[in-house]
Amino acid sequence: MQLVENLEYNTERSHLIIPEYGRHFQKMVDYAVSIEDPVERNKIAQAIISVMGNLQPHLRDVPDFQHKLWDQLFIMSDFKLDVDSPFPITSKEILRQRPEPLEYPQNFPKYRFYGNNIKRMVDVAVEWEKGDKRSGLEYAIANHMKKCYLNWNKDVVDDKTIFKHLYELSDGQIDLASEEVSLTDSGQFLKNRVAKTPRSNNSGKKNQRNNNRGKKRY
């Protein structure tokens, strides 16, 4: 039995800075760093960039992608590679900087089941001049509010409740209760909701069982 000696385990190998490129790429970069001749070193760096671009040929000629490849080359060399880059070299300090925290919108609507889009639509409606166009938008908003209410609360809602909520969301600028407007009936919204619910194909399974009754089993 032949003994296998000097096995090289990943835990004993050097750390891969960008694992996606694999160890052979890392070895090529390390070799480029070790070259003393600047002309030869630049030549090897260009060859490495070319091979890196071949991994994604549809992007290798895009300027932004080329810049990204050069940045990755310097990152894999731990910024020890001294070559002429066609792009500004990003410093290690800039890469280590933590990004600024994102400012998430903080919305705390009173009636969350309507969603933020309803509040945006209401804000747009109150900016319009009063007329048929604004009245149509107000009616459409109220109808959509009723649909949202039925989806998240219960099966029946009075139009006066929707008008009250719309009055509050618009800071008193939309008052459909005083105009004697009637919204779409709740039953119509519920009917559409039931129609969209997928039905189980129990009849098909029953027919299949009946067809299999007379068959012999071996």
Side-chain angles (χ1 to χ4, degrees), residues 52-202:
M52 292 170 66
N54 287 336
L55 297 178
Q56 301 186 55
H58 61 290
L59 294 174
R60 63 185 175 188
D61 295 328
V62 179
D64 291 340
F65 184 69
Q66 283 285 321
H67 194 177
K68 178 180 178 181
L69 293 181
W70 279 96
D71 283 343
Q72 291 177 340
L73 177 62
F74 287 112
I75 292 172
M76 284 192 290
S77 69
D78 196 21
F79 297 91
K80 298 176 182 178
L81 185 61
D82 184 13
V83 293
D84 299 328
S85 172
F87 303 97
I89 302 175
T90 306
S91 64
K92 184 187 298 186
E93 290 73 19
I94 294 178
L95 287 175
R96 289 181 176 178
Q97 287 181 356
R98 299 186 64 179
E100 295 294 330
L102 293 175
E103 296 183 1
Y104 289 93
Q106 301 295 331
N107 296 322
F108 303 98
K110 183 176 181 181
Y111 305 109
R112 296 194 176 190
F113 46 85
Y114 290 132
N116 293 324
N117 288 333
I118 285 291
K119 185 63 175 70
R120 296 190 186 100
M121 293 168 64
V122 171
D123 294 339
V124 171
V126 298
E127 294 179 357
W128 288 7
E129 294 183 3
K130 291 187 177 181
D132 294 339
K133 187 176 180 180
R134 172 170 169 173
S135 298
L137 179 59
E138 292 173 353
Y139 180 79
I141 293 173
N143 249 336
H144 193 67
M145 288 173 62
K146 185 173 183 179
K147 181 179 179 181
C148 293
Y149 191 99
L150 293 172
N151 285 337
W152 294 103
N153 286 277
K154 51 187 178 181
D155 293 339
V156 179
V157 59
D158 188 11
D159 288 353
K160 294 181 180 179
T161 302
I162 303 299
F163 297 153
K164 178 184 176 182
H165 293 172
L166 182 56
Y167 184 83
E168 294 179 11
L169 291 174
S170 63
D171 296 328
Q173 299 188 56
I174 300 178
D175 186 10
L176 295 183
S178 61
E179 300 181 10
E180 298 182 356
V181 177
S182 298
L183 301 178
T184 303
D185 185 73
S186 300
Q188 185 63 38
F189 287 126
L190 297 174
K191 180 181 178 181
N192 295 336
R193 186 173 66 182
V194 172
K196 293 180 180 179
T197 304
R199 298 180 179 178
S200 58
N201 192 13
N202 293 328

Side-chain angles (χ1 to χ4, degrees), residues 18 36 46 124 158-159 203:
I18 303 182
E36 297 182 359
Q46 291 284 351
V124 171
D158 188 11
D159 288 353
S203 59

